[in-house]
Amino acid sequence: MRHNAPLIVGIGKGFSAVASDVLGFIDWTNKAVFLEDDSVCLLQREKIDVRSLNGARRNFEVVELAEEMSSEGKESCEHYTLKEIYEQPEAVMRVLRQDPGSLTLFRKQLQEAKKVFFVAAGTSYHASMVGKEYLARNMGVYSEVILASEYKSYLRWFDDETVLVAVSQSGETMDVLEAVRAGKERGCNVLGVVNHSPSTLERISDTVVNLRAGQEVGVAATKSFTSQIALFYLISKKGVDRQEIEGIAEAIREAIKEEKAIKRIAETIASGKDLYYLGRGMNYPIALEGALKMKELAYIHAEGLAAGELKHGPLALIEKGVPLILINPLDESYQDTISNGMEVKARGGMLIGVSSEPNAIYDYFIRIPKVDNQHYPLVTAIPMQLLAYHAAKLLRADIDKPRNLAKSVTVK
Ligand code: BG6
């Protein structure tokens, strides 16, 4: 029986299967039935019978799952997470394959809305923070980013003049679904951004865009993050052409090539207890994401900080040898972030600079290619992911299935 949490039936030759994610049976059959909520299903070897709670027969549709839903295995990678990090250039290119009509519709509804709220959790929340910046810079649209589990504080602003941009890789995160249902009850227009299809968020949204990043098996989100950011960029900025997206994909490839250097730096921080990430403007959500990746994958206490906040408290944490990652691309925040780095150095902190520009204050330097200011979040995300991956590997953590975490949290 399905109630609230996702439940899917796989129909195969001589067998039927039930799972909470198509991943459970995708290697044996690509024929699936996505049960409606409050359905009871009787499975037999080669046939199923679906009923509503009062026993009435329910029609069901057997859908053929898209090729990219299948997990093609790890290929030559030791972990799905690493494979999915390497897949980001292609995944970002796939974002381009959006139906221009739904992008225009998305943009129009954002432009016309009186109030715009992003609603998301985890990594999708950090991507939404970058989305907020793109809407402001490229469309002049003001928006708020809400932590899905905290949506109740914003309910009074949920009405028929409100657009909710609900962002969820899985499309099944309970906090996001609950916020969306509360919004719909109050007349909000819901724009869903998902990677998993079909999914509940896709079903209950008014307009949907699918990332097409492909199946993401690693519990820690990686390629869905950069695909979400690329999508928000595409929605906010008219006239983004193939050449520009190919340029972004190439820059991501360049950043991945620094893996060896990043691995060496991971060796210096893996034995540490506390780690801090610092960023300004669009780099601040990347600092939060870097810290989240280190917590999720390597179980190291890590904190993402807005660089300007350093002097208002966190600087007290900095003493000799405390590692701090300074996300400092050559954009409008460069000089201010360098001075924050100097404050950390002055207290003996160990500074790891992420930039296209080396600087004497860095104890360690992670090179990223120089790109357009608005493209940096798509590039700086890579060293954040690889640093956490290699620290986790050194600490022999269960990288694809970190302890205590799930790919989608379908309960409150
Ligand atoms: C967590 C995942 O369960 O949910 C994170 O471990 C993810 O990686 C978060 O970012 C939100 O998931 P979703 O599917 O709503 O984007």
Side-chain angles (χ1 to χ4, degrees), residues 149-208:
S149 53
E150 297 295 334
Y151 78 90
K152 290 195 175 122
S153 313
Y154 299 82
L155 271 180
R156 77 189 67 190
W157 292 290
F158 282 17
D159 56 33
D160 56 9
E161 295 179 323
T162 304
V163 160
L164 292 183
V165 184
V167 187
S168 172
Q169 188 283 132
S170 61
E172 301 294 352
T173 298
M174 179 57 76
D175 290 327
V176 174
L177 298 180
E178 202 175 284
V180 164
R181 290 193 177 108
K184 287 186 76 76
E185 277 161 23
R186 289 165 179 77
C188 295
N189 174 12
V190 177
L191 309 183
V193 176
V194 299
N195 186 44
H196 224 273
S197 175
S199 63
T200 306
L201 180 58
E202 184 184 38
R203 237 192 334 275
I204 64 176
S205 297
D206 301 298
T207 313
V208 176

Side-chain angles (χ1 to χ4, degrees), residues 112-173:
E112 290 167 0
K114 290 271 185 323
K115 294 171 286 258
V116 176
F117 293 102
F118 286 86
V119 181
T123 293
S124 296
Y125 174 78
H126 297 148
S128 302
M129 290 173 76
V130 181
K132 169 188 166 101
E133 280 284 330
Y134 286 148
L135 262 56
R137 293 183 188 205
N138 303 331
M139 297 171 72
V141 168
Y142 172 74
S143 63
E144 251 324 315
V145 184
I146 300 177
L147 267 174
S149 53
E150 297 295 334
Y151 78 90
K152 290 195 175 122
S153 313
Y154 299 82
L155 271 180
R156 77 189 67 190
W157 292 290
F158 282 17
D159 56 33
D160 56 9
E161 295 179 323
T162 304
V163 160
L164 292 183
V165 184
V167 187
S168 172
Q169 188 283 132
S170 61
E172 301 294 352
T173 298

Side-chain angles (χ1 to χ4, degrees), residues 88-89 92 226 248-257 378-379 382:
Q88 293 180 94
V92 162
T226 45
I248 293 173
E250 193 44 42
I252 293 176
R253 276 189 205 95
E254 286 304 308
I256 291 172
K257 283 189 193 140
L378 289 149
V379 173
I382 307 302

Side-chain angles (χ1 to χ4, degrees), residues 25-61:
F25 55 69
I26 189 97
D27 296 337
W28 292 289
T29 177
N30 67 346
K31 294 194 174 32
V33 174
F34 288 79
L35 294 176
E36 274 177 56
D37 214 13
D38 294 338
S39 291
V40 179
C41 178
L42 179 66
L43 274 82
Q44 289 165 293
R45 190 177 293 280
E46 288 213 20
K47 71 183 177 73
I48 67 169
D49 178 1
V50 181
R51 308 277 174 137
S52 64
L53 294 185
N54 61 14
R57 216 175 266 289
R58 256 198 183 154
N59 295 333
F60 58 86
E61 190 200 348

